Each structure stands twice: as structure tokens, then as C-alpha cells.
Amino acid sequence: MRDFVDNAVVVTDGDIIFYYTGFYVDDGFLIVKNDKRYLITDGRYIESARKFANAECYLGSEVSLEDMLSRLQVSSVGLIYGYTSALIYEKIVSLGYCVYDCTLSYNELSAIKTLSQLNSIKRACSICEQAFVKTLPFIKEGVSELEISGELEHNFKKLGANVGFETIVAFGKGSSVPHYQTGSVKLTNNTPILMDFGCRYEGFLSDMTRTFYFGNPTEEFVKVYEAVKGAHLLTAQTVKAGTTCSEADKVARGYLKNFGYDKYFTHSTGHGIGVKIHEYPTLNAKSNTVLENNMVFSIEPGVYLEGNFGVRIEDTFTLENNNCVSLMTNDKELLVL
């Protein structure tokens, strides 16, 4: 990371601290200078940090951020602006340091996964699929969205992973809200179900969405589902190393336009996945970022008919040998329970 050579970068976000040290803290400072890492945290973490973190570790009550920056003879400090609070920014400025944004450098570095990181993500994807399959028999008339969410997340843990982010389970018209708040709605017959979920394995995430039908699907639902499936598959087939994010988005959106559904596709076609569930790059119409080998990202076209239902199909993908490869193995045929 270019910014680390002549200056220091201060990180306070727990996920990004994990990215650099292999150890998670939700209260502390990581300083990176000349490829060396210095972690300042409190008594809740220090014993484990000294055992497991890839960093020199210091107790915050004994060594402050100001002390360490002075000791390292730092003249300017890089911050990842999107993951740094205004409070931390103002604190470092008040110490007299020149502050600059190193978000782009971090994004470029973290977007290309190492073999070890890819293996963790692949395992997270495998657990994600297994947990989903194990949850399907639990889905019966009268069960609530929250109960299904709880069963799925329980299966994550039984399979050796943690919950990656807040699970979405949406019945019926709730599925037309892309980031629906899972609640107490109970399942009735002849209802579409949308589930968006992921787990965390060794610090890295998976992301998966499936839309299916409980009962007898309507003709309209099947038509929308097949259009979304076609957009998903065509985008995956089209994306190669060297494709720009906007080109990928254009493929998905263009396919849905053939059916008159493009105006109901209200979010980006995908996003990077790593220690955070939404990372660089973003597959949208405005991004000219070039997709490269060993990037990991979602492809998730969707159609949302307000007050009726929505359909989204999402896998986690990577680029291997210039080709787009899904890290999920199940097919995309419409599932009917």
C-alpha cells in the first residue's frame, strides 16, 4: 500500500484491523508504517492480541495513540475516511498532523484477495449453501420470518461459521423491499419468499440471496423469476477479467429491459465482498473500475414490484484465470416448496 511507505495510516474499524492483523477488536487503534503494525487496545483484548495479532501490541492505558505516533516520528497520517469517525479525525488533526484520505489505496489492496483469503471466502460460501439447504425443511405454514432467520443462523453456527450480517427473510409483499426488515409475519400458503443471508468464516464473508415460492407460483411470479435468473446467468457468463463494473451492470440491466423490468431494478448489480459485506468495487453504471483476477464480488440483479413481490438472485463470485466463477454450486431453477 503506497501510503504506508513514507507515512503512517491509522485504522480504527474492527473489520479492517482484522484484515491487517488477523485479530478483531472493536475498540483500539492500529498504526501501519513501513509495513509494520502497531496495535493499541484495552485490557479486554490485550492478552489475546499479544498471542494472535500480527502486530506489536500495546495496552492503551500505558501507550496512547499520541505517544506511538510521536515514537514513530510520523509527520502525516492517512485515514480510510469512510471507516473513520469525525471524532478520530479531529483528534489526530488536533495533535498537529497533516491528515489525508487513503481510501483508494486500501480499496485497491483489499479488493485483490490472497489465496488464504479466497479459501476462507470459499468455505464461507459452502457453509452458506449447506445452512440454507438444512433450513428448507423448517419452512412450513405458520412459521414466522424471524423463526426462519433464527434457524438459518443456528445452522451457520452448527457448521462452524458466525452470522455475517443481518439476515433478511421476507414473505409476500415484503420481498419487494430490497433491504426489508425481517419481522413477525407468519407464512401462509401461496407466498413468495426472499432470503438474503451470509456467514463469516475466519473473518471473511459470503453473500447469497434466493427467492422461491411456498405453494403454487403465479404466472407473473414465474415470468419475473425467469427474467431475473436470465440476467444473473448472462452477467456471470459475460464478466471477464478486464470487464468494467459499468459494463457488468449494463448487461444485467439490459437483459431486464427486454422484459420491461429494468425500471424495477433499483440497486447496483453487485458489490465487493471480503471482511465487510459491501466493499470495493461496486458494479454499477457509474463505476469504471476494471474487474481483475482474485477479486470477489456479488452478482445480484433484482426486480421489485412495490406492494406485490420482489425477486433477487445472488451468488458470490470470483475471477479465476480471467473467467467469472460462482462460489455457490446450486442451480438457479425456481424452487417451489
Side-chain angles (χ1 to χ4, degrees):
M1 186 171 181
R2 184 182 65 254
D3 299 285
F4 288 0
V5 176
D6 299 318
N7 307 295
V9 172
V10 173
V11 179
T12 57
D13 179 87
D15 292 328
I16 301 177
I17 289 174
F18 174 87
Y19 176 83
Y20 286 112
T21 69
F23 186 80
Y24 182 90
V25 298
D26 63 6
D27 189 4
F29 298 93
L30 176 69
I31 303 171
V32 183
K33 186 175 188 292
N34 297 333
D35 294 324
K36 293 185 179 180
R37 298 164 174 81
Y38 309 88
L39 179 61
I40 303 169
T41 189
D42 62 38
R44 296 171 297 168
Y45 297 103
I46 192 65
E47 181 180 355
S48 294
R50 285 172 173 160
K51 290 180 180 178
F52 301 114
N54 179 24
E56 291 184 19
C57 300
Y58 298 87
L59 189 61
S61 60
E62 298 175 355
V63 179
S64 68
L65 174 64
E66 183 177 5
D67 294 335
M68 186 58 69
L69 291 174
S70 177
R71 183 184 304 181
L72 296 174
Q73 298 182 319
V74 170
S75 60
S76 59
V77 173
L79 297 173
I80 304 169
Y81 277 17
Y83 298 109
T84 305
S85 70
L87 185 65
I88 298 301
Y89 173 89
E90 290 174 355
K91 175 180 176 65
I92 294 173
V93 169
S94 73
L95 295 175
Y97 294 101
C98 174
V99 175
Y100 64 98
D101 184 11
C102 62
T103 301
L104 179 60
S105 294
Y106 169 73
N107 284 344
E108 291 174 346
L109 177 67
S110 62
I112 308 297
K113 272 50 179 186
T114 66
L115 179 60
S116 174
Q117 292 166 355
L118 281 170
N119 286 338
S120 294
I121 294 170
K122 288 176 180 179
R123 180 59 181 154
C125 289
S126 176
I127 291 173
C128 204
E129 285 195 296
Q130 292 177 60
F132 175 64
V133 171
K134 286 179 176 291
T135 302
L136 291 176
F138 183 80
I139 300 175
K140 301 181 184 299
E141 191 166 9
V143 72
S144 73
E145 295 167 340
L146 280 169
E147 287 171 327
I148 294 174
S149 172
E151 180 70 11
L152 176 71
E153 293 174 359
H154 177 62
N155 285 326
F156 285 157
K157 294 182 179 182
K158 286 172 66 177
L159 291 165
N162 289 311
V163 178
F165 53 90
E166 186 172 357
T167 299
I168 296 173
V169 178
F171 297 159
K173 63 183 181 181
S175 61
S176 72
V177 182
H179 274 194
Y180 175 78
Q181 183 67 50
T182 302
S184 59
V185 179
K186 294 187 180 298
L187 183 60
T188 58
N189 197 27
N190 298 325
T191 299
I193 302 173
L194 185 150
M195 294 177 62
D196 186 343
F197 50 94
C199 63
R200 187 184 296 272
Y201 182 80
E202 295 180 342
F204 287 83
L205 292 156
S206 57
D207 197 1
M208 177 174 173
T209 302
R210 291 293 180 267
T211 310
F212 49 102
Y213 211 92
F214 184 77
N216 298 310
T218 64
E219 182 177 339
E220 183 183 27
F221 180 86
V222 173
K223 182 181 177 182
V224 172
Y225 185 91
E226 291 300 319
V228 173
K229 182 183 76 172
H232 177 95
L233 295 175
L234 181 62
T235 306
Q237 292 165 6
T238 303
V239 167
K240 309 286 183 186
T243 301
T244 66
C245 290
S246 60
E247 289 170 341
D249 183 80
K250 185 177 180 180
V251 171
R253 224 165 282 280
Y255 187 89
L256 290 173
K257 187 174 183 179
N258 294 330
F259 302 89
Y261 293 137
D262 54 310
K263 63 183 177 181
Y264 303 110
F265 180 18
T266 55
H267 54 73
S268 65
T269 294
H271 54 83
I273 299 167
V275 294
K276 291 189 174 295
I277 199 56
H278 293 100
E279 291 192 348
Y280 175 88
T282 301
L283 281 66
N284 66 20
K286 296 180 180 180
S287 174
N288 292 319
T289 299
V290 175
L291 297 170
E292 301 179 46
N293 283 325
N294 298 334
M295 283 184 170
V296 175
F297 50 89
S298 67
I299 293 177
E300 50 177 304
V303 169
Y304 308 96
L305 305 180
E306 184 176 348
N308 193 357
F309 65 84
V311 174
R312 182 165 67 252
I313 301 173
E314 174 187 21
D315 279 6
T316 300
F317 288 83
T318 190
L319 283 167
E320 294 181 356
N321 299 318
N322 300 326
N323 292 314
C324 190
V325 178
S326 176
L327 301 182
M328 273 74 186
T329 60
N330 73 332
D331 65 36
K332 307 301 179 296
E333 295 306 310
L334 174 59
L335 174 66
V336 177
L337 299 181

